[in-house]
Amino acid sequence: MIYPQNAVDKLGFTEIKALIKAYCLSEMGRQMVDKIQPMHQFDQINKFMRQTYEFKEILLNDSPLPIEHLYPIRALAEKARVEGVFLTEEEFFHVLLSLKTVFAVIRYFNDRNGHYPNLEALFEHLPIEKGIVNAIERVIDAKGKIKPNASSLLSEIITNIAKAEQEARKRIDHVFKSAQGNGWTADGNLTVRDGRLCIPLLAENKRKLKGFIHDESATGQTVFIEPEEVFHLNNKVRDLEFDKRREVIRILIELTDTLRPNIPLLLAYYGLLSKLDFVRAKALFAIELEADMPQLSKEAAVELINARHPLLMLNFKKEKQTVVPLNVKIDNQQRVIVVSGPNAGGKSVAMKTIGLLQIMAQAGLLIPADESSTIGVFKQFFADIGDDQSIESDLSTYSAHLSKMKYFTEHANGKTLVLIDEFGTGTDPQFGGPIAEAVLEVLNRKKIRGVITTHYSNLKNFANATEGLENASMLFDNAAMHPLYILEIGKPGSSYAFEIAQKIGLPTEVLQAAKQKIGAQQKRVDTLLVDLEREKKTILDTKRLVEKRETALNKLQQDTEALQRYLDENKKTILKQAKLEAQEIIKNANRLVENTISEIKESKADRERTKAARQHLQQELERHQLNEPKTKGATVANNQEIHVGDWVKIIESGNVAQVLEVAKDNLILAMGDLRSVVKRKRVEKVATKEVPKEIRKSHSAMVTEELTGFYPELDVRGMRTEDALQAIEKHLDKAIMLGFPSLKVIHGKGDGILRKMIRDYLRKYSQVNRMEDEHADRGGDGITYVYLN
């Protein structure tokens, strides 16, 4: 129950229904949208919401449902019920197309048995009666006309008509040529008058040809005559046409009689098409809203996470703005939220968002909120929003408010959601505040759930001291003097009346006079609220800054640990290689020394040969000496041209890495499984032969493995949108890293929503050059080719 009835208009639910109707393909779907109302049975809400969710999944991730032909066949079925009445050719054609659509839909879901259980329940136990289709197809052709061979008599009549028309045409052509030869005819050819083929004759020659004059020209100089000998032939054709019409009616009556026993089934098929159109419209609207299915509860409670007002969201989307999300919880402990704060701070929007989303959910619609949100079931919706003064009923604004309060206090209960905007306004605040507090006390005793917006301090104090009531405020940036539109539960908010007045430019003396007129206690309370708001914002900003720094620190720590692990592994490899080379050098040195001693002994200490042997030994020692890199040499190395695939050494650490990508002054390097971005001046190019074999072999094996295991084609059909985009991102990264020129993404056609999201997502990558559809014979716009720079 909704009270008053215009509450659905003030909350925006009527506009929501109008937007859904725009997505309907048929009048019967639009009629069902008009009947949408909040439901109170949990099972019904769950069924309707899951049907919408499943259809949304079809639109986003599956092939399109074949619902092309939707006609209002209920009226045709009711017409066919009457004995002696028959359906026309066009009406039977509409029935035929509708039946084919129904059977195609049933086949669609049978092919996906179990995937969409709530949609499948729409046609559960609904038989496919192909006998109706066969009977209609025997009579009606693919263009919706009676087939010439619908009966043997009709076929005979049509043949006779053709013969008679041919004979009449041949006869009138003969007469026309004869008249032309005699010079009786006027300019022009044979023409039709009153449905009869006539010869145009000059008026002075009309007595020279026997026949029936059907018409004459505006000047009277030309008459149009049907020759007497053709007149009887045309009459024969006309008689045959009447015979044909009578036979067609007989066939249609017979076909209607065949259809009549199946009218209940025909109405069931009509109901299925209506429901599918209805659910499809709700699903398309959900996609437009980026809506999801919340958790459902049988309790009278609601918890919204990242909720957005639907109408505000659609309006902002046109202006390319975003809506500040709302987070709120109403349950058995926190039953009524008393929202305060500045004017134009978003109090009313927050309250309407809660009410509208609750009504939408209980009407079986998906809502623009996080899927972890929880929606309960309320049996009554009471709302007092806006000005309902009435001249006819002799009601002032405040009287209208009091009338609603009277109804609320008499009929509200624990299953009622109460929404009151600007509680207690419309009369002297000195009396309006206490009356509002008394009403709120009565409603609280009835355990109602609800949201109330107010500026009255006594209501804020009452909520603070009363169990079941909870203060809340709309945050306000009192430094920049503008609202933040964020609802904060737990404390009341200031109205910022003086601050806003000062920003608008009200004279200082007026503000000072106003401050002196308000009570000292009220002034202290308001000042305290402002100070609390300022401190709260400072703490909140500080907390966000700390969290941001903590996140950056954790990332830095993870990068450092990964780099350290790589260095440890690299160190072992280098040491092993160095030991092997050292062993080889020692072996060669031993042989060299032994050879040198042997030569000296053989030459019996000959001075020249001894000197030459020592020089040879010194040269070998110098060749294996380790030279420290000079700064100048490093600079020269840095000036060398570095390309993708080159090996470089990081100057500070001495680690060897391979270049994956060159971007201006930055290099993207591969060190094992680790990827790092390093400034060009921090590395020097090294020859490939100077890189340890283990490092080259490891990197080569890794690249070879990635190349052999990678295929530049990705099929995302059947995936959720988020999963599909994530898979595409990973595949795109590999394609870019391995140097592939293009990538093939198979997403299917559907309604084109997944294709649009994928292409919009890929356009943000600078590495993507262009995107094209596959050839029409090989998938068309169901496949996207992504060409890379």
Side-chain angles (χ1 to χ4, degrees):
M1 174 188 176
I2 299 177
Y3 179 84
Q5 286 300 318
N6 65 354
V8 292
D9 298 326
K10 295 192 175 182
L11 286 172
F13 189 57
T14 304
E15 285 186 66
I16 294 294
K17 292 202 292 186
L19 292 171
I20 296 174
K21 282 175 68 174
Y23 287 103
C24 290
L25 297 174
S26 65
E27 182 59 32
M28 50 210 186
R30 287 186 281 273
Q31 290 172 359
M32 293 190 72
V33 174
D34 286 332
K35 296 176 182 178
I36 294 179
Q37 290 295 333
M39 297 169 285
H40 312 303
Q41 292 76 27
F42 177 85
D43 292 338
Q44 271 190 319
I45 297 170
N46 184 54
K47 179 183 72 174
F48 277 81
M49 194 174 282
R50 290 190 180 279
Q51 285 174 356
T52 308
Y53 179 77
E54 289 177 1
F55 213 118
K56 176 187 168 189
E57 289 297 303
I58 289 176
L59 293 172
L60 289 177
N61 303 313
D62 209 335
S63 302
L65 196 65
I67 48 174
E68 300 172 357
H69 302 291
L70 298 175
Y71 295 102
I73 59 174
R74 172 184 284 277
L76 304 183
E78 295 298 339
K79 178 182 177 181
R81 277 186 193 276
V82 182
E83 292 285 345
V85 174
F86 64 92
L87 301 183
T88 65
E89 298 169 77
E90 183 183 13
E91 289 170 341
F92 269 117
F93 189 55
H94 288 173
V95 172
L96 177 63
L97 294 178
S98 297
L99 290 177
K100 286 185 175 182
T101 299
V102 169
F103 299 158
V105 167
I106 294 176
R107 282 196 300 272
Y108 180 94
F109 285 109
N110 287 340
D111 292 342
R112 295 159 177 77
N113 186 28
H115 282 74
Y116 308 107
N118 291 279
L119 289 175
E120 290 170 12
L122 291 175
F123 56 87
E124 192 175 14
H125 308 305
L126 192 63
I128 298 178
E129 185 53 65
K130 289 190 176 180
I132 307 175
V133 173
N134 295 335
I136 297 175
E137 286 185 331
R138 281 196 294 269
V139 174
I140 305 296
D141 64 16
K143 294 181 180 180
K145 300 298 180 183
I146 288 280
K147 290 183 176 180
N149 60 349
S151 73
S152 57
L153 179 57
L154 180 63
S155 178
E156 182 182 346
I157 291 172
I158 291 174
T159 302
N160 290 336
I161 289 173
K163 289 179 179 178
E165 285 179 341
Q166 186 177 5
E167 185 179 351
R169 180 70 191 215
K170 187 187 298 183
R171 192 65 187 156
I172 199 169
D173 283 342
H174 175 73
V175 174
F176 180 57
K177 288 178 182 178
S178 176
Q180 277 184 324
N182 294 326
W184 299 344
T185 60
D187 292 337
N189 294 316
L190 293 173
T191 185
V192 176
R193 288 291 187 274
D194 296 333
R196 316 283 279 215
L197 202 58
C198 300
I199 297 173
L201 289 181
L202 294 172
E204 62 267 23
N205 299 322
K206 64 183 179 181
R207 302 296 180 191
K208 297 179 180 178
L209 182 66
K210 291 183 179 181
F212 182 79
I213 298 175
H214 284 280
D215 198 4
E216 65 178 17
S217 65
T219 60
Q221 295 180 359
T222 303
V223 293
F224 301 94
I225 294 179
E226 181 182 9
E228 183 180 36
E229 50 197 300
V230 178
F231 183 77
H232 298 294
L233 291 174
N234 281 338
N235 282 343
K236 181 181 178 181
V237 172
R238 181 68 61 89
D239 290 340
L240 288 171
E241 290 286 352
F242 289 142
D243 292 341
K244 176 185 174 184
R245 180 59 186 159
R246 282 191 292 271
E247 178 61 13
V248 166
I249 291 174
R250 187 196 66 77
I251 293 170
L252 292 176
I253 290 174
E254 187 178 285
L255 186 58
T256 305
D257 292 340
T258 305
L259 179 66
R260 190 169 292 118
N262 295 294
I263 284 177
L265 185 58
L266 197 63
L267 292 174
Y269 290 153
Y270 166 82
L272 172 61
L273 293 178
S274 301
K275 290 172 186 175
L276 284 175
D277 187 28
F278 172 62
V279 179
R280 174 185 174 276
K282 293 194 295 181
L284 286 170
F285 183 63
I287 293 172
E288 176 70 16
L289 278 185
E290 300 172 22
D292 216 322
M293 179 174 173
Q295 306 295 320
L296 294 178
S297 169
K298 294 182 180 180
E299 301 298 322
V302 56
E303 181 179 6
L304 296 175
I305 299 171
N306 292 331
R308 288 95 62 201
H309 192 286
L311 301 176
L312 190 63
M313 181 181 175
L314 293 176
N315 189 42
F316 275 25
K317 187 182 285 188
K318 294 176 184 176
E319 300 173 2
K320 297 184 179 179
Q321 296 178 320
T322 56
V323 177
V324 177
L326 172 71
N327 296 284
V328 67
K329 183 177 182 180
I330 298 174
D331 55 19
N332 193 41
Q333 285 74 39
Q334 190 172 281
R335 294 191 301 273
V336 181
I337 307 297
V338 179
V339 185
S340 51
N343 288 313
K347 299 189 301 297
S348 297
V349 173
M351 180 198 66
K352 290 180 180 179
T353 301
I354 296 168
L356 178 56
L357 295 192
Q358 183 65 40
I359 289 178
M360 286 176 62
Q362 286 193 219
L365 304 177
L366 304 186
I367 60 174
D370 195 274
E371 61 182 3
S372 58
S373 301
T374 302
I375 292 291
V377 179
F378 294 91
K379 291 189 176 180
Q380 298 184 122
F381 295 89
F382 293 169
D384 182 13
I385 302 170
D387 184 2
D388 277 341
Q389 63 178 322
S390 171
I391 296 175
E392 293 83 0
S393 303
D394 194 23
L395 289 177
S396 66
T397 299
Y398 189 60
S399 298
H401 287 312
L402 287 180
S403 297
K404 292 177 187 173
M405 293 307 107
K406 175 178 179 293
Y407 188 90
F408 291 2
T409 54
E410 290 175 352
H411 297 91
N413 56 42
K415 290 284 188 178
T416 304
L417 181 65
V418 177
L419 307 171
I420 304 176
D421 194 22
E422 300 295 349
F423 196 19
T425 58
T427 190
D428 189 338
Q430 190 173 357
F431 302 103
I435 292 175
E437 184 177 331
V439 171
L440 184 56
E441 185 176 3
V442 173
L443 293 175
N444 187 46
R445 283 202 301 268
K446 288 177 171 283
K447 307 293 185 184
I448 64 111
R449 274 66 167 163
V451 181
I452 292 168
T453 69
T454 186
H455 288 286
Y456 286 170
S457 297
N458 68 306
L459 294 181
K460 302 175 190 177
N461 295 331
F462 180 68
N464 187 57
T466 307
E467 184 180 353
L469 305 184
E470 188 68 46
N471 270 310
S473 61
M474 302 304 298
L475 295 184
F476 188 82
D477 187 343
N478 47 25
M481 296 304 296
H482 65 76
L484 300 176
Y485 306 109
I486 298 173
L487 179 67
E488 182 182 39
I489 305 294
K491 72 176 187 64
S494 169
S495 297
Y496 291 94
F498 290 111
E499 289 79 2
I500 294 173
Q502 184 177 355
K503 181 183 179 182
I504 290 174
L506 208 63
T508 306
E509 59 271 17
V510 175
L511 291 175
Q512 291 298 329
K515 288 179 180 179
Q516 292 174 4
K517 291 180 183 295
I518 66 169
Q521 180 67 22
Q522 178 62 37
K523 186 176 179 180
R524 282 196 297 271
V525 170
D526 207 51
T527 303
L528 178 62
L529 288 174
V530 173
D531 292 340
L532 285 173
E533 190 80 30
R534 185 180 293 109
E535 292 175 8
K536 179 73 175 180
K537 185 178 183 303
T538 303
I539 293 171
L540 187 63
D541 291 343
T542 305
K543 182 181 177 182
R544 288 174 179 167
L545 182 61
V546 170
E547 289 175 351
K548 185 177 180 181
R549 289 180 177 176
E550 185 177 354
T551 302
L553 184 62
N554 289 337
K555 187 176 184 305
L556 184 61
Q557 184 178 356
Q558 292 172 2
D559 292 344
T560 304
E561 290 174 355
L563 182 60
Q564 185 61 47
R565 285 195 299 270
Y566 170 75
L567 291 176
D568 291 341
E569 295 173 2
N570 203 30
K571 180 179 178 182
K572 293 176 183 178
T573 304
I574 293 173
L575 287 175
K576 182 179 179 181
Q577 182 67 22
K579 287 178 181 178
L580 293 173
E581 291 181 359
Q583 290 174 2
E584 189 67 27
I585 290 172
I586 291 171
K587 289 178 183 178
N588 292 336
N590 287 337
R591 285 195 294 270
L592 182 62
V593 171
E594 289 173 0
N595 291 336
T596 303
I597 294 172
S598 176
E599 287 181 10
I600 292 173
K601 286 181 178 180
E602 288 176 0
S603 63
K604 296 180 180 180
D606 180 81
R607 180 177 295 177
E608 293 299 326
R609 293 192 64 181
T610 301
K611 183 177 179 181
R614 286 178 175 173
Q615 287 177 348
H616 179 63
L617 180 60
Q618 184 63 32
Q619 289 173 357
E620 287 296 316
L621 289 173
E622 289 176 354
R623 189 166 67 86
H624 291 287
Q625 186 175 355
L626 180 65
N627 295 321
E628 292 295 329
K630 296 181 181 180
T631 306
K632 184 176 180 181
T635 304
V636 173
N638 285 337
N639 290 334
Q640 292 180 353
E641 193 71 25
I642 296 177
H643 303 283
V644 174
D646 290 343
W647 291 89
V648 296
K649 182 167 68 174
I650 301 174
I651 296 173
E652 294 89 340
S653 62
N655 293 326
V656 177
Q658 191 172 28
V659 179
L660 290 180
E661 188 176 340
V662 179
K664 294 184 178 179
D665 295 330
N666 295 324
L667 303 176
I668 299 178
L669 306 180
M671 295 182 283
D673 292 332
L674 187 66
R675 303 291 183 269
S676 179
V677 180
V678 179
K679 290 290 184 182
R680 186 192 292 266
K681 64 183 180 182
R682 290 179 52 201
V683 303
E684 61 180 352
K685 187 174 179 180
V686 296
T688 305
K689 63 182 180 181
E690 295 178 18
V691 180
K693 294 180 181 178
E694 286 80 0
I695 295 178
R696 282 184 312 199
K697 186 182 294 183
S698 173
H699 188 274
S700 176
M702 180 190 71
V703 173
T704 303
E705 182 180 351
E706 288 189 353
L707 277 170
T708 55
F710 180 82
Y711 188 65
E713 178 177 313
L714 182 62
D715 190 342
V716 297
R717 289 176 295 180
M719 293 187 184
R720 294 172 62 91
T721 304
E722 294 178 1
D723 297 337
L725 295 180
Q726 188 175 5
I728 289 171
E729 181 181 20
K730 291 180 180 178
H731 221 65
L732 181 64
D733 289 344
K734 281 191 177 182
I736 293 171
M737 185 181 75
L738 298 174
F740 280 82
S742 64
L743 184 65
K744 180 180 179 182
V745 180
I746 305 171
H747 43 66
K749 295 184 179 180
D751 286 357
I753 297 171
L754 182 60
R755 179 180 75 249
K756 182 179 183 299
M757 290 185 173
I758 289 173
R759 295 189 178 184
D760 289 344
Y761 178 79
L762 289 172
R763 286 191 183 97
K764 72 178 184 179
Y765 284 93
S766 59
Q767 292 89 344
V768 175
N769 186 319
R770 70 184 192 281
M771 288 172 281
E772 293 180 355
D773 290 343
E774 172 63 279
H775 190 275
D777 295 338
R778 298 190 294 273
D781 57 4
I783 299 173
T784 296
Y785 269 98
V786 184
Y787 293 94
L788 307 176
N789 293 324

